């Protein structure tokens, strides 16, 4: 089982949304991590055959995915950032409709829908109309439709957007259960979504893959050190201005800061173990936000 990208590029006029990406994915969970506008959605749309690359190739077990056509889409599950639905359909009706498009037999579709609705905590809402669901509940229905055909390749673009903390945990547990049987590619700019479940992290910036590795490999390779610093109120503003600060916790006398720096930034600063959030801060900066979320 191998999904291979070779020098994959997609240009929109003068802009390279994806720029020369090459990698091979096998069984497991891959976290595609980057700010909005990094090219994650464009990359995923090409993997799902919704966009053709300007150059380069994508192959599944050695065969071009665009040549495979329907044969490839039969083993693919996809949750886009914004998925369409008929507002007057019930959850059951919607999943039945998607199942028919995917070619599932009615009995198998009903069984699979019930299984997924139970796993996602939606069973008691199966008769509710889609328009009456909360945003988080709709997102869970979107996850269910992506999994209906028990895909070998599961592509999830910002899958936890709109989910509350409990729903995010439920989702991460579900993905962990599925990981051994398929390729799961999960795109996000939220570090905690992938820190615990991804076998490999792909850091994407400006259309390129900057780094790839297991979370612990990326934290060990972080060029900067992480420090815990206690500062008074008078020093806080200066420290926020001068240092890369990943966390601020207010204390009675000022604040406790988590700072990225090559050397001890302040007297009394204590070294801390790096996390994936520190890696994200180092490569993407403080805001973790982009101007063009559509790319």
């Amino acid at each position: 089982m191998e999904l291979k990208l070779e020098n994959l590029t997609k240009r929109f006029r003068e802009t390279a949304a994806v720029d020369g990406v090459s990698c091979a994915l096998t069984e497991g969970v891959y976290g595609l991590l980057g700010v909005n506008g990094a090219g994650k959605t464009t990359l995923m749309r090409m993997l799902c055959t919704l966009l053709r690359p300007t150059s380069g190739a994508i192959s599944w077990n050695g065969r071009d995915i665009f040549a495979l056509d329907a044969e490839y889409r039969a083993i693919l599950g996809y949750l886009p950032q914004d998925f369409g639905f008929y507002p007057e359909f019930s959850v059951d009706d919607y999943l039945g409709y998607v199942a028919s498009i995917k070619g599932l037999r009615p009995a198998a579709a009903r069984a699979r829908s019930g299984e997924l609705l139970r796993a996602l905590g939606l069973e008691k809402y199966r008769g509710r109309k889609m328009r009456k669901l909360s945003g988080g509940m709709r997102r869970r229905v979107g996850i269910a439709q992506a999994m209906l055909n028990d895909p070998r390749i599961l592509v999830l673009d910002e899958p936890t957007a709109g989910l509350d903390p409990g729903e995010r945990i439920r989702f991460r547990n579900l993905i962990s259960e599925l990981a051994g049987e398929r390729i799961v590619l999960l795109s996000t700019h939220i570090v905690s979504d992938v820190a615990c479940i991804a076998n490999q992290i792909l850091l994407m910036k400006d259309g390129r893959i900057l780094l790839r590795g297991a979370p612990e490999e990326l934290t060990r390779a972080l060029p900067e050190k992480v420090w815990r610093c206690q500062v008074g109120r008078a020093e806080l503003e200066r420290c926020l201005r001068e240092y890369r600060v990943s966390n601020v916790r207010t204390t009675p006398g000022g604040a406790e800061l988590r700072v990225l720096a090559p050397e001890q930034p302040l007297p009394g600063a204590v070294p801390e173990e790096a996390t994936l959030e520190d890696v994200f801060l180092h490569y993407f900066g403080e805001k973790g936000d982009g101007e063009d979320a559509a790319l």
Side-chain angles (χ1 to χ4, degrees):
M1 179 188 295
E2 183 184 59
L3 184 63
K4 190 172 184 181
L5 288 65
E6 298 178 271
N7 200 27
L8 194 65
T9 298
K10 180 63 181 179
R11 302 189 69 86
F12 296 99
R13 296 185 179 178
E14 300 303 314
T15 302
V18 174
D19 190 6
V21 169
S22 296
C23 63
L25 310 181
T26 55
E27 285 185 7
V29 179
Y30 296 83
L32 183 60
L33 191 59
V35 298
N36 293 330
K40 304 187 303 296
T41 293
T42 299
L43 177 61
M44 290 188 150
R45 286 176 177 167
M46 287 192 285
L47 291 175
C48 295
T49 70
L50 298 174
L51 286 175
R52 283 190 171 268
T54 304
S55 60
I58 310 169
S59 61
W60 168 247
N61 292 336
R63 300 173 64 191
D64 183 87
I65 65 169
F66 293 95
L68 285 169
D69 198 24
E71 184 181 342
Y72 174 72
R73 286 192 291 274
I75 53 98
L76 178 70
Y78 176 45
L79 174 63
Q81 285 190 41
D82 299 303
F83 73 96
F85 59 88
Y86 293 99
E88 296 303 318
F89 276 21
S90 69
V91 172
D92 260 345
D93 290 339
Y94 173 71
L95 292 179
Y97 168 71
V98 174
S100 68
I101 293 174
K102 294 189 175 188
L104 275 67
R105 294 173 183 256
R110 284 192 297 272
R112 180 67 173 158
S113 293
E115 176 188 328
L116 289 168
L117 291 176
R118 283 190 294 275
L120 290 162
L122 288 169
E123 191 172 23
K124 66 181 179 180
Y125 302 105
R126 62 192 311 160
R128 185 172 294 188
K129 290 185 177 182
M130 293 290 292
R131 66 179 172 84
K132 293 187 176 180
L133 299 178
S134 67
M137 290 167 67
R138 283 182 197 153
R139 201 70 185 160
R140 281 187 272 166
V141 175
I143 294 167
Q145 66 80 26
M147 295 179 173
L148 272 172
N149 58 329
D150 196 20
R152 305 289 300 282
I153 303 168
L154 183 59
V155 178
L156 305 168
D157 195 357
E158 300 286 352
T160 59
L163 300 187
D164 65 33
E167 290 171 328
R168 295 166 85 104
I169 292 169
R170 184 187 296 118
F171 167 77
R172 291 199 296 261
N173 291 342
L174 179 62
I175 293 302
S176 294
E177 291 173 16
L178 296 170
E181 304 170 5
R182 69 200 81 222
I183 295 169
V184 180
L185 181 62
L186 189 161
S187 157
T188 186
H189 63 283
I190 302 170
V191 178
S192 60
D193 281 352
V194 294
C196 299
I197 62 170
N199 307 108
Q200 292 269 309
I201 301 293
L202 288 78
L203 292 181
M204 190 169 189
K205 184 176 183 179
D206 298 330
R208 295 178 175 270
I209 302 298
L210 290 183
L211 285 175
R212 173 181 174 175
E216 57 273 17
E217 292 173 339
L218 298 187
T219 55
R220 281 199 303 267
L222 183 65
E224 295 181 288
K225 296 178 182 177
V226 183
W227 307 87
R228 187 177 75 251
C229 311
Q230 301 285 344
V231 298
R233 289 180 184 145
E235 299 174 278
L236 179 57
E237 187 176 339
R238 178 185 66 81
C239 291
L240 291 174
R241 194 169 55 246
E242 294 182 4
Y243 300 114
R244 288 177 178 264
V245 179
S246 64
N247 192 63
V248 179
R249 185 172 67 86
T250 303
T251 63
E256 181 181 274
L257 307 182
R258 187 177 177 88
V259 174
L260 271 67
E263 303 293 340
Q264 186 182 46
L266 296 165
V270 178
E272 292 270 287
E273 188 174 341
T275 67
L276 199 56
E277 287 190 345
D278 298 317
V279 175
F280 189 90
L281 174 64
H282 174 80
Y283 287 103
F284 298 110
E286 172 180 18
K287 293 184 179 180
D289 196 12
E291 294 181 358
D292 194 346
L295 295 181

